[in-house]
Amino acid sequence: MIGIGKWQGSIQIQLLRFSGDVVITIEDNAGDYAVDIQLPPQLEKVKLFFNSVEEVGDDTLKGKGKLLTPAGRELNFEASVTFDGDVVTGYLKIAIATIKIKNGHRIG
């Protein structure tokens, strides 16, 4: 399995004029990926639910799911993360924006 562990990276959302750090935890759940994304406190009411996560090649995970806004709106998203040793890069794409993960690294 790819990317098992805890990762941290920076995000910037220009639409909201916001930046902060995210923590991504990837675990093996009986052969399936369990992914948890902890957003910065300012976005704590936004929830991400993965419907699928799959391996692409030897170093990348791609997933799809739903993002639930504090107002109750559901948005489909697509996410991708690529691992290179203790470094991670990636993005989360929703209809209104693509949010890139920068300066990503393993923290656990």
Side-chain angles (χ1 to χ4, degrees):
M1 296 192 88
I2 301 169
I4 299 296
K6 202 170 206 176
W7 305 84
Q8 181 174 353
S10 299
I11 61 170
Q12 182 175 8
I13 305 172
Q14 293 186 7
L15 182 67
L16 300 176
R17 296 184 183 152
F18 169 81
S19 62
D21 288 338
V22 296
V23 175
I24 303 166
T25 303
I26 302 171
E27 297 176 318
D28 178 353
N29 183 18
D32 291 326
Y33 284 98
V35 179
D36 178 64
I37 299 178
Q38 181 182 350
L39 298 172
Q42 299 91 328
L43 299 175
E44 67 185 9
K45 293 183 180 180
V46 174
K47 303 297 179 201
L48 298 167
F49 301 97
F50 282 88
N51 296 329
S52 66
V53 177
E54 61 185 36
E55 297 175 2
V56 177
D58 293 335
D59 62 354
T60 301
L61 292 177
K62 287 195 175 190
K64 293 182 180 181
K66 295 202 180 284
L67 180 149
L68 184 60
T69 69
R73 185 172 177 203
E74 282 189 10
L75 300 171
N76 291 325
F77 73 81
E78 176 183 304
S80 177
V81 287
T82 300
F83 304 93
D84 183 10
D86 289 336
V87 174
V88 64
T89 57
Y91 66 86
L92 182 124
K93 183 177 182 178
I94 55 176
I96 58 174
T98 298
I99 303 163
K100 294 182 181 178
I101 300 171
K102 297 180 181 179
N103 303 316
H105 57 280
R106 183 185 297 274
I107 58 172

PDB file of all heavy atoms in Angstrom, residues 24 35 37 48-56 60-67 76-82 89-94 97-99 101:
ATOM      1  N   ILE A  24      -3.086  14.839   6.663  1.00  0.00           N
ATOM      2  CA  ILE A  24      -3.707  13.709   5.974  1.00  0.00           C
ATOM      3  C   ILE A  24      -3.208  12.426   6.634  1.00  0.00           C
ATOM      4  O   ILE A  24      -2.002  12.208   6.731  1.00  0.00           O
ATOM      5  CB  ILE A  24      -3.327  13.690   4.483  1.00  0.00           C
ATOM      6  CG1 ILE A  24      -3.713  15.010   3.817  1.00  0.00           C
ATOM      7  CG2 ILE A  24      -3.964  12.494   3.780  1.00  0.00           C
ATOM      8  CD1 ILE A  24      -3.090  15.214   2.453  1.00  0.00           C
ATOM      9  N   VAL A  35      -8.779   7.140   4.538  1.00  0.00           N
ATOM     10  CA  VAL A  35      -8.132   8.446   4.448  1.00  0.00           C
ATOM     11  C   VAL A  35      -8.919   9.439   5.289  1.00  0.00           C
ATOM     12  O   VAL A  35     -10.135   9.557   5.168  1.00  0.00           O
ATOM     13  CB  VAL A  35      -8.078   8.946   2.984  1.00  0.00           C
ATOM     14  CG1 VAL A  35      -7.430  10.317   2.907  1.00  0.00           C
ATOM     15  CG2 VAL A  35      -7.324   7.950   2.111  1.00  0.00           C
ATOM     16  N   ILE A  37      -8.758  13.563   6.403  1.00  0.00           N
ATOM     17  CA  ILE A  37      -8.119  14.855   6.169  1.00  0.00           C
ATOM     18  C   ILE A  37      -8.579  15.821   7.248  1.00  0.00           C
ATOM     19  O   ILE A  37      -9.775  16.086   7.380  1.00  0.00           O
ATOM     20  CB  ILE A  37      -8.458  15.405   4.770  1.00  0.00           C
ATOM     21  CG1 ILE A  37      -7.954  14.439   3.701  1.00  0.00           C
ATOM     22  CG2 ILE A  37      -7.845  16.787   4.584  1.00  0.00           C
ATOM     23  CD1 ILE A  37      -8.272  14.853   2.286  1.00  0.00           C
ATOM     24  N   LEU A  48     -15.123  16.009   4.451  1.00  0.00           N
ATOM     25  CA  LEU A  48     -14.761  15.279   3.234  1.00  0.00           C
ATOM     26  C   LEU A  48     -15.044  13.796   3.444  1.00  0.00           C
ATOM     27  O   LEU A  48     -14.629  13.219   4.456  1.00  0.00           O
ATOM     28  CB  LEU A  48     -13.279  15.464   2.922  1.00  0.00           C
ATOM     29  CG  LEU A  48     -12.826  16.892   2.632  1.00  0.00           C
ATOM     30  CD1 LEU A  48     -11.310  16.982   2.654  1.00  0.00           C
ATOM     31  CD2 LEU A  48     -13.360  17.355   1.307  1.00  0.00           C
ATOM     32  N   PHE A  49     -15.747  13.187   2.490  1.00  0.00           N
ATOM     33  CA  PHE A  49     -16.059  11.770   2.545  1.00  0.00           C
ATOM     34  C   PHE A  49     -15.594  11.119   1.251  1.00  0.00           C
ATOM     35  O   PHE A  49     -16.041  11.500   0.171  1.00  0.00           O
ATOM     36  CB  PHE A  49     -17.570  11.557   2.710  1.00  0.00           C
ATOM     37  CG  PHE A  49     -18.130  12.203   3.941  1.00  0.00           C
ATOM     38  CD1 PHE A  49     -18.730  13.449   3.870  1.00  0.00           C
ATOM     39  CD2 PHE A  49     -18.040  11.569   5.171  1.00  0.00           C
ATOM     40  CE1 PHE A  49     -19.243  14.053   5.005  1.00  0.00           C
ATOM     41  CE2 PHE A  49     -18.540  12.169   6.313  1.00  0.00           C
ATOM     42  CZ  PHE A  49     -19.150  13.411   6.231  1.00  0.00           C
ATOM     43  N   PHE A  50     -14.677  10.138   1.355  1.00  0.00           N
ATOM     44  CA  PHE A  50     -14.162   9.447   0.181  1.00  0.00           C
ATOM     45  C   PHE A  50     -15.070   8.277  -0.179  1.00  0.00           C
ATOM     46  O   PHE A  50     -15.415   7.466   0.682  1.00  0.00           O
ATOM     47  CB  PHE A  50     -12.744   8.927   0.445  1.00  0.00           C
ATOM     48  CG  PHE A  50     -11.703   9.995   0.362  1.00  0.00           C
ATOM     49  CD1 PHE A  50     -11.377  10.757   1.469  1.00  0.00           C
ATOM     50  CD2 PHE A  50     -11.046  10.245  -0.833  1.00  0.00           C
ATOM     51  CE1 PHE A  50     -10.418  11.746   1.401  1.00  0.00           C
ATOM     52  CE2 PHE A  50     -10.087  11.229  -0.915  1.00  0.00           C
ATOM     53  CZ  PHE A  50      -9.774  11.982   0.200  1.00  0.00           C
ATOM     54  N   ASN A  51     -15.444   8.197  -1.459  1.00  0.00           N
ATOM     55  CA  ASN A  51     -16.191   7.047  -1.979  1.00  0.00           C
ATOM     56  C   ASN A  51     -15.237   5.982  -2.501  1.00  0.00           C
ATOM     57  O   ASN A  51     -15.549   4.799  -2.446  1.00  0.00           O
ATOM     58  CB  ASN A  51     -17.130   7.472  -3.106  1.00  0.00           C
ATOM     59  CG  ASN A  51     -18.197   8.430  -2.621  1.00  0.00           C
ATOM     60  OD1 ASN A  51     -18.628   8.368  -1.486  1.00  0.00           O
ATOM     61  ND2 ASN A  51     -18.610   9.331  -3.491  1.00  0.00           N
ATOM     62  N   SER A  52     -14.094   6.430  -3.034  1.00  0.00           N
ATOM     63  CA  SER A  52     -13.119   5.486  -3.576  1.00  0.00           C
ATOM     64  C   SER A  52     -11.721   6.072  -3.483  1.00  0.00           C
ATOM     65  O   SER A  52     -11.534   7.278  -3.562  1.00  0.00           O
ATOM     66  CB  SER A  52     -13.438   5.164  -5.043  1.00  0.00           C
ATOM     67  OG  SER A  52     -13.264   6.313  -5.848  1.00  0.00           O
ATOM     68  N   VAL A  53     -10.753   5.183  -3.286  1.00  0.00           N
ATOM     69  CA  VAL A  53      -9.333   5.537  -3.312  1.00  0.00           C
ATOM     70  C   VAL A  53      -8.626   4.394  -4.026  1.00  0.00           C
ATOM     71  O   VAL A  53      -8.827   3.226  -3.696  1.00  0.00           O
ATOM     72  CB  VAL A  53      -8.749   5.702  -1.892  1.00  0.00           C
ATOM     73  CG1 VAL A  53      -7.256   5.996  -1.961  1.00  0.00           C
ATOM     74  CG2 VAL A  53      -9.478   6.784  -1.112  1.00  0.00           C
ATOM     75  N   GLU A  54      -7.816   4.749  -5.034  1.00  0.00           N
ATOM     76  CA  GLU A  54      -7.113   3.704  -5.777  1.00  0.00           C
ATOM     77  C   GLU A  54      -5.675   4.111  -6.062  1.00  0.00           C
ATOM     78  O   GLU A  54      -5.353   5.288  -6.113  1.00  0.00           O
ATOM     79  CB  GLU A  54      -7.843   3.379  -7.080  1.00  0.00           C
ATOM     80  CG  GLU A  54      -7.954   4.538  -8.031  1.00  0.00           C
ATOM     81  CD  GLU A  54      -8.786   4.200  -9.259  1.00  0.00           C
ATOM     82  OE1 GLU A  54      -9.770   3.460  -9.150  1.00  0.00           O
ATOM     83  OE2 GLU A  54      -8.420   4.698 -10.339  1.00  0.00           O
ATOM     84  N   GLU A  55      -4.844   3.104  -6.238  1.00  0.00           N
ATOM     85  CA  GLU A  55      -3.445   3.324  -6.580  1.00  0.00           C
ATOM     86  C   GLU A  55      -3.307   3.581  -8.073  1.00  0.00           C
ATOM     87  O   GLU A  55      -3.958   2.926  -8.876  1.00  0.00           O
ATOM     88  CB  GLU A  55      -2.608   2.105  -6.203  1.00  0.00           C
ATOM     89  CG  GLU A  55      -2.589   1.825  -4.720  1.00  0.00           C
ATOM     90  CD  GLU A  55      -1.847   0.546  -4.360  1.00  0.00           C
ATOM     91  OE1 GLU A  55      -1.296  -0.124  -5.269  1.00  0.00           O
ATOM     92  OE2 GLU A  55      -1.825   0.214  -3.169  1.00  0.00           O
ATOM     93  N   VAL A  56      -2.441   4.542  -8.397  1.00  0.00           N
ATOM     94  CA  VAL A  56      -2.102   4.820  -9.789  1.00  0.00           C
ATOM     95  C   VAL A  56      -0.575   4.742  -9.867  1.00  0.00           C
ATOM     96  O   VAL A  56       0.119   5.603  -9.326  1.00  0.00           O
ATOM     97  CB  VAL A  56      -2.604   6.216 -10.233  1.00  0.00           C
ATOM     98  CG1 VAL A  56      -2.181   6.497 -11.661  1.00  0.00           C
ATOM     99  CG2 VAL A  56      -4.107   6.314 -10.077  1.00  0.00           C
ATOM    100  N   THR A  60       1.301   7.024  -6.463  1.00  0.00           N
ATOM    101  CA  THR A  60       0.188   7.973  -6.443  1.00  0.00           C
ATOM    102  C   THR A  60      -1.110   7.310  -6.005  1.00  0.00           C
ATOM    103  O   THR A  60      -1.402   6.179  -6.389  1.00  0.00           O
ATOM    104  CB  THR A  60      -0.010   8.591  -7.847  1.00  0.00           C
ATOM    105  OG1 THR A  60       1.204   9.260  -8.223  1.00  0.00           O
ATOM    106  CG2 THR A  60      -1.149   9.592  -7.871  1.00  0.00           C
ATOM    107  N   LEU A  61      -1.867   8.043  -5.202  1.00  0.00           N
ATOM    108  CA  LEU A  61      -3.221   7.652  -4.838  1.00  0.00           C
ATOM    109  C   LEU A  61      -4.188   8.672  -5.418  1.00  0.00           C
ATOM    110  O   LEU A  61      -3.939   9.879  -5.336  1.00  0.00           O
ATOM    111  CB  LEU A  61      -3.399   7.621  -3.318  1.00  0.00           C
ATOM    112  CG  LEU A  61      -2.654   6.560  -2.541  1.00  0.00           C
ATOM    113  CD1 LEU A  61      -2.891   6.736  -1.044  1.00  0.00           C
ATOM    114  CD2 LEU A  61      -3.107   5.167  -2.975  1.00  0.00           C
ATOM    115  N   LYS A  62      -5.288   8.182  -5.987  1.00  0.00           N
ATOM    116  CA  LYS A  62      -6.347   9.066  -6.474  1.00  0.00           C
ATOM    117  C   LYS A  62      -7.639   8.648  -5.800  1.00  0.00           C
ATOM    118  O   LYS A  62      -7.902   7.462  -5.618  1.00  0.00           O
ATOM    119  CB  LYS A  62      -6.500   8.979  -7.990  1.00  0.00           C
ATOM    120  CG  LYS A  62      -5.369   9.660  -8.717  1.00  0.00           C
ATOM    121  CD  LYS A  62      -5.702   9.889 -10.161  1.00  0.00           C
ATOM    122  CE  LYS A  62      -4.562  10.690 -10.786  1.00  0.00           C
ATOM    123  NZ  LYS A  62      -4.870  11.174 -12.092  1.00  0.00           N
ATOM    124  N   GLY A  63      -8.422   9.655  -5.435  1.00  0.00           N
ATOM    125  CA  GLY A  63      -9.684   9.367  -4.779  1.00  0.00           C
ATOM    126  C   GLY A  63     -10.785  10.278  -5.261  1.00  0.00           C
ATOM    127  O   GLY A  63     -10.528  11.352  -5.823  1.00  0.00           O
ATOM    128  N   LYS A  64     -12.019   9.836  -5.030  1.00  0.00           N
ATOM    129  CA  LYS A  64     -13.205  10.634  -5.344  1.00  0.00           C
ATOM    130  C   LYS A  64     -14.139  10.578  -4.153  1.00  0.00           C
ATOM    131  O   LYS A  64     -14.155   9.596  -3.412  1.00  0.00           O
ATOM    132  CB  LYS A  64     -13.911  10.091  -6.587  1.00  0.00           C
ATOM    133  CG  LYS A  64     -13.112  10.251  -7.855  1.00  0.00           C
ATOM    134  CD  LYS A  64     -13.884   9.749  -9.043  1.00  0.00           C
ATOM    135  CE  LYS A  64     -13.043   9.934 -10.307  1.00  0.00           C
ATOM    136  NZ  LYS A  64     -13.772   9.484 -11.492  1.00  0.00           N
ATOM    137  N   GLY A  65     -14.912  11.659  -4.004  1.00  0.00           N
ATOM    138  CA  GLY A  65     -15.850  11.675  -2.902  1.00  0.00           C
ATOM    139  C   GLY A  65     -16.715  12.908  -2.907  1.00  0.00           C
ATOM    140  O   GLY A  65     -16.888  13.557  -3.945  1.00  0.00           O
ATOM    141  N   LYS A  66     -17.235  13.223  -1.723  1.00  0.00           N
ATOM    142  CA  LYS A  66     -18.114  14.379  -1.564  1.00  0.00           C
ATOM    143  C   LYS A  66     -17.586  15.281  -0.460  1.00  0.00           C
ATOM    144  O   LYS A  66     -17.101  14.812   0.563  1.00  0.00           O
ATOM    145  CB  LYS A  66     -19.526  13.927  -1.217  1.00  0.00           C
ATOM    146  CG  LYS A  66     -20.179  13.146  -2.337  1.00  0.00           C
ATOM    147  CD  LYS A  66     -21.674  13.170  -2.227  1.00  0.00           C
ATOM    148  CE  LYS A  66     -22.310  12.398  -3.354  1.00  0.00           C
ATOM    149  NZ  LYS A  66     -22.320  13.076  -4.605  1.00  0.00           N
ATOM    150  N   LEU A  67     -17.705  16.578  -0.712  1.00  0.00           N
ATOM    151  CA  LEU A  67     -17.356  17.608   0.257  1.00  0.00           C
ATOM    152  C   LEU A  67     -18.675  18.210   0.723  1.00  0.00           C
ATOM    153  O   LEU A  67     -19.501  18.593  -0.088  1.00  0.00           O
ATOM    154  CB  LEU A  67     -16.477  18.664  -0.411  1.00  0.00           C
ATOM    155  CG  LEU A  67     -16.011  19.835   0.432  1.00  0.00           C
ATOM    156  CD1 LEU A  67     -14.651  20.297  -0.055  1.00  0.00           C
ATOM    157  CD2 LEU A  67     -16.993  20.987   0.377  1.00  0.00           C
ATOM    158  N   ASN A  76     -19.008  17.336  -5.379  1.00  0.00           N
ATOM    159  CA  ASN A  76     -18.137  16.212  -5.717  1.00  0.00           C
ATOM    160  C   ASN A  76     -16.703  16.710  -5.772  1.00  0.00           C
ATOM    161  O   ASN A  76     -16.442  17.840  -6.176  1.00  0.00           O
ATOM    162  CB  ASN A  76     -18.526  15.619  -7.073  1.00  0.00           C
ATOM    163  CG  ASN A  76     -19.864  14.929  -7.029  1.00  0.00           C
ATOM    164  OD1 ASN A  76     -20.227  14.321  -6.022  1.00  0.00           O
ATOM    165  ND2 ASN A  76     -20.605  15.018  -8.103  1.00  0.00           N
ATOM    166  N   PHE A  77     -15.772  15.860  -5.361  1.00  0.00           N
ATOM    167  CA  PHE A  77     -14.362  16.224  -5.473  1.00  0.00           C
ATOM    168  C   PHE A  77     -13.561  15.060  -6.011  1.00  0.00           C
ATOM    169  O   PHE A  77     -13.980  13.908  -5.971  1.00  0.00           O
ATOM    170  CB  PHE A  77     -13.782  16.717  -4.142  1.00  0.00           C
ATOM    171  CG  PHE A  77     -13.551  15.639  -3.107  1.00  0.00           C
ATOM    172  CD1 PHE A  77     -12.419  14.839  -3.144  1.00  0.00           C
ATOM    173  CD2 PHE A  77     -14.457  15.439  -2.086  1.00  0.00           C
ATOM    174  CE1 PHE A  77     -12.199  13.859  -2.191  1.00  0.00           C
ATOM    175  CE2 PHE A  77     -14.251  14.474  -1.126  1.00  0.00           C
ATOM    176  CZ  PHE A  77     -13.123  13.676  -1.178  1.00  0.00           C
ATOM    177  N   GLU A  78     -12.393  15.415  -6.523  1.00  0.00           N
ATOM    178  CA  GLU A  78     -11.386  14.465  -6.989  1.00  0.00           C
ATOM    179  C   GLU A  78     -10.092  14.884  -6.312  1.00  0.00           C
ATOM    180  O   GLU A  78      -9.786  16.073  -6.238  1.00  0.00           O
ATOM    181  CB  GLU A  78     -11.264  14.569  -8.498  1.00  0.00           C
ATOM    182  CG  GLU A  78     -10.194  13.708  -9.103  1.00  0.00           C
ATOM    183  CD  GLU A  78     -10.114  13.940 -10.609  1.00  0.00           C
ATOM    184  OE1 GLU A  78     -11.145  13.782 -11.285  1.00  0.00           O
ATOM    185  OE2 GLU A  78      -9.011  14.301 -11.067  1.00  0.00           O
ATOM    186  N   ALA A  79      -9.345  13.925  -5.793  1.00  0.00           N
ATOM    187  CA  ALA A  79      -8.090  14.233  -5.115  1.00  0.00           C
ATOM    188  C   ALA A  79      -6.994  13.313  -5.637  1.00  0.00           C
ATOM    189  O   ALA A  79      -7.256  12.186  -6.044  1.00  0.00           O
ATOM    190  CB  ALA A  79      -8.244  14.064  -3.610  1.00  0.00           C
ATOM    191  N   SER A  80      -5.771  13.819  -5.595  1.00  0.00           N
ATOM    192  CA  SER A  80      -4.621  13.020  -5.996  1.00  0.00           C
ATOM    193  C   SER A  80      -3.430  13.423  -5.135  1.00  0.00           C
ATOM    194  O   SER A  80      -3.215  14.611  -4.895  1.00  0.00           O
ATOM    195  CB  SER A  80      -4.303  13.265  -7.470  1.00  0.00           C
ATOM    196  OG  SER A  80      -3.144  12.550  -7.847  1.00  0.00           O
ATOM    197  N   VAL A  81      -2.692  12.430  -4.641  1.00  0.00           N
ATOM    198  CA  VAL A  81      -1.459  12.695  -3.896  1.00  0.00           C
ATOM    199  C   VAL A  81      -0.369  11.773  -4.431  1.00  0.00           C
ATOM    200  O   VAL A  81      -0.614  10.612  -4.734  1.00  0.00           O
ATOM    201  CB  VAL A  81      -1.623  12.519  -2.368  1.00  0.00           C
ATOM    202  CG1 VAL A  81      -2.425  13.646  -1.766  1.00  0.00           C
ATOM    203  CG2 VAL A  81      -2.249  11.190  -2.017  1.00  0.00           C
ATOM    204  N   THR A  82       0.826  12.340  -4.567  1.00  0.00           N
ATOM    205  CA  THR A  82       1.981  11.597  -5.049  1.00  0.00           C
ATOM    206  C   THR A  82       3.066  11.643  -3.988  1.00  0.00           C
ATOM    207  O   THR A  82       3.353  12.705  -3.438  1.00  0.00           O
ATOM    208  CB  THR A  82       2.491  12.197  -6.377  1.00  0.00           C
ATOM    209  OG1 THR A  82       1.429  12.125  -7.335  1.00  0.00           O
ATOM    210  CG2 THR A  82       3.687  11.433  -6.902  1.00  0.00           C
ATOM    211  N   THR A  89       3.013  15.597  -2.582  1.00  0.00           N
ATOM    212  CA  THR A  89       2.410  16.710  -3.311  1.00  0.00           C
ATOM    213  C   THR A  89       1.027  16.235  -3.762  1.00  0.00           C
ATOM    214  O   THR A  89       0.778  15.032  -3.855  1.00  0.00           O
ATOM    215  CB  THR A  89       3.223  17.122  -4.547  1.00  0.00           C
ATOM    216  OG1 THR A  89       3.370  15.980  -5.396  1.00  0.00           O
ATOM    217  CG2 THR A  89       4.581  17.665  -4.163  1.00  0.00           C
ATOM    218  N   GLY A  90       0.152  17.170  -4.054  1.00  0.00           N
ATOM    219  CA  GLY A  90      -1.153  16.750  -4.522  1.00  0.00           C
ATOM    220  C   GLY A  90      -2.131  17.891  -4.666  1.00  0.00           C
ATOM    221  O   GLY A  90      -1.767  19.071  -4.559  1.00  0.00           O
ATOM    222  N   TYR A  91      -3.395  17.504  -4.899  1.00  0.00           N
ATOM    223  CA  TYR A  91      -4.437  18.505  -5.062  1.00  0.00           C
ATOM    224  C   TYR A  91      -5.792  17.909  -4.709  1.00  0.00           C
ATOM    225  O   TYR A  91      -5.976  16.684  -4.685  1.00  0.00           O
ATOM    226  CB  TYR A  91      -4.470  19.026  -6.498  1.00  0.00           C
ATOM    227  CG  TYR A  91      -4.884  17.984  -7.514  1.00  0.00           C
ATOM    228  CD1 TYR A  91      -6.237  17.747  -7.802  1.00  0.00           C
ATOM    229  CD2 TYR A  91      -3.944  17.221  -8.181  1.00  0.00           C
ATOM    230  CE1 TYR A  91      -6.618  16.786  -8.717  1.00  0.00           C
ATOM    231  CE2 TYR A  91      -4.324  16.263  -9.103  1.00  0.00           C
ATOM    232  CZ  TYR A  91      -5.662  16.051  -9.365  1.00  0.00           C
ATOM    233  OH  TYR A  91      -6.038  15.085 -10.272  1.00  0.00           O
ATOM    234  N   LEU A  92      -6.738  18.787  -4.451  1.00  0.00           N
ATOM    235  CA  LEU A  92      -8.139  18.447  -4.302  1.00  0.00           C
ATOM    236  C   LEU A  92      -8.891  19.372  -5.249  1.00  0.00           C
ATOM    237  O   LEU A  92      -8.722  20.591  -5.182  1.00  0.00           O
ATOM    238  CB  LEU A  92      -8.625  18.660  -2.863  1.00  0.00           C
ATOM    239  CG  LEU A  92     -10.083  18.266  -2.660  1.00  0.00           C
ATOM    240  CD1 LEU A  92     -10.184  17.238  -1.547  1.00  0.00           C
ATOM    241  CD2 LEU A  92     -10.917  19.470  -2.324  1.00  0.00           C
ATOM    242  N   LYS A  93      -9.666  18.783  -6.150  1.00  0.00           N
ATOM    243  CA  LYS A  93     -10.355  19.575  -7.166  1.00  0.00           C
ATOM    244  C   LYS A  93     -11.858  19.477  -6.949  1.00  0.00           C
ATOM    245  O   LYS A  93     -12.416  18.376  -6.896  1.00  0.00           O
ATOM    246  CB  LYS A  93      -9.991  19.051  -8.555  1.00  0.00           C
ATOM    247  CG  LYS A  93     -10.600  19.838  -9.685  1.00  0.00           C
ATOM    248  CD  LYS A  93     -10.127  19.285 -11.016  1.00  0.00           C
ATOM    249  CE  LYS A  93     -10.696  20.095 -12.158  1.00  0.00           C
ATOM    250  NZ  LYS A  93     -10.220  19.613 -13.449  1.00  0.00           N
ATOM    251  N   ILE A  94     -12.492  20.647  -6.796  1.00  0.00           N
ATOM    252  CA  ILE A  94     -13.943  20.744  -6.733  1.00  0.00           C
ATOM    253  C   ILE A  94     -14.381  21.660  -7.871  1.00  0.00           C
ATOM    254  O   ILE A  94     -13.543  22.250  -8.551  1.00  0.00           O
ATOM    255  CB  ILE A  94     -14.439  21.261  -5.364  1.00  0.00           C
ATOM    256  CG1 ILE A  94     -13.790  22.600  -5.006  1.00  0.00           C
ATOM    257  CG2 ILE A  94     -14.205  20.232  -4.277  1.00  0.00           C
ATOM    258  CD1 ILE A  94     -14.284  23.220  -3.730  1.00  0.00           C
ATOM    259  N   ALA A  97     -12.838  25.272  -7.605  1.00  0.00           N
ATOM    260  CA  ALA A  97     -11.411  25.522  -7.365  1.00  0.00           C
ATOM    261  C   ALA A  97     -10.605  24.226  -7.370  1.00  0.00           C
ATOM    262  O   ALA A  97     -11.146  23.149  -7.154  1.00  0.00           O
ATOM    263  CB  ALA A  97     -11.220  26.220  -6.020  1.00  0.00           C
ATOM    264  N   THR A  98      -9.311  24.380  -7.603  1.00  0.00           N
ATOM    265  CA  THR A  98      -8.343  23.314  -7.391  1.00  0.00           C
ATOM    266  C   THR A  98      -7.417  23.781  -6.275  1.00  0.00           C
ATOM    267  O   THR A  98      -6.802  24.843  -6.377  1.00  0.00           O
ATOM    268  CB  THR A  98      -7.534  23.015  -8.661  1.00  0.00           C
ATOM    269  OG1 THR A  98      -8.439  22.570  -9.679  1.00  0.00           O
ATOM    270  CG2 THR A  98      -6.486  21.941  -8.416  1.00  0.00           C
ATOM    271  N   ILE A  99      -7.356  22.998  -5.199  1.00  0.00           N
ATOM    272  CA  ILE A  99      -6.560  23.359  -4.031  1.00  0.00           C
ATOM    273  C   ILE A  99      -5.323  22.468  -4.025  1.00  0.00           C
ATOM    274  O   ILE A  99      -5.436  21.247  -3.927  1.00  0.00           O
ATOM    275  CB  ILE A  99      -7.380  23.173  -2.747  1.00  0.00           C
ATOM    276  CG1 ILE A  99      -8.656  24.012  -2.826  1.00  0.00           C
ATOM    277  CG2 ILE A  99      -6.541  23.533  -1.522  1.00  0.00           C
ATOM    278  CD1 ILE A  99      -9.715  23.617  -1.838  1.00  0.00           C
ATOM    279  N   ILE A 101      -1.683  21.036  -2.559  1.00  0.00           N
ATOM    280  CA  ILE A 101      -0.941  20.793  -1.325  1.00  0.00           C
ATOM    281  C   ILE A 101       0.518  21.109  -1.615  1.00  0.00           C
ATOM    282  O   ILE A 101       1.116  20.536  -2.533  1.00  0.00           O
ATOM    283  CB  ILE A 101      -1.073  19.333  -0.859  1.00  0.00           C
ATOM    284  CG1 ILE A 101      -2.545  19.002  -0.593  1.00  0.00           C
ATOM    285  CG2 ILE A 101      -0.211  19.090   0.375  1.00  0.00           C
ATOM    286  CD1 ILE A 101      -2.783  17.531  -0.352  1.00  0.00           C
TER     287      ILE A 101
END
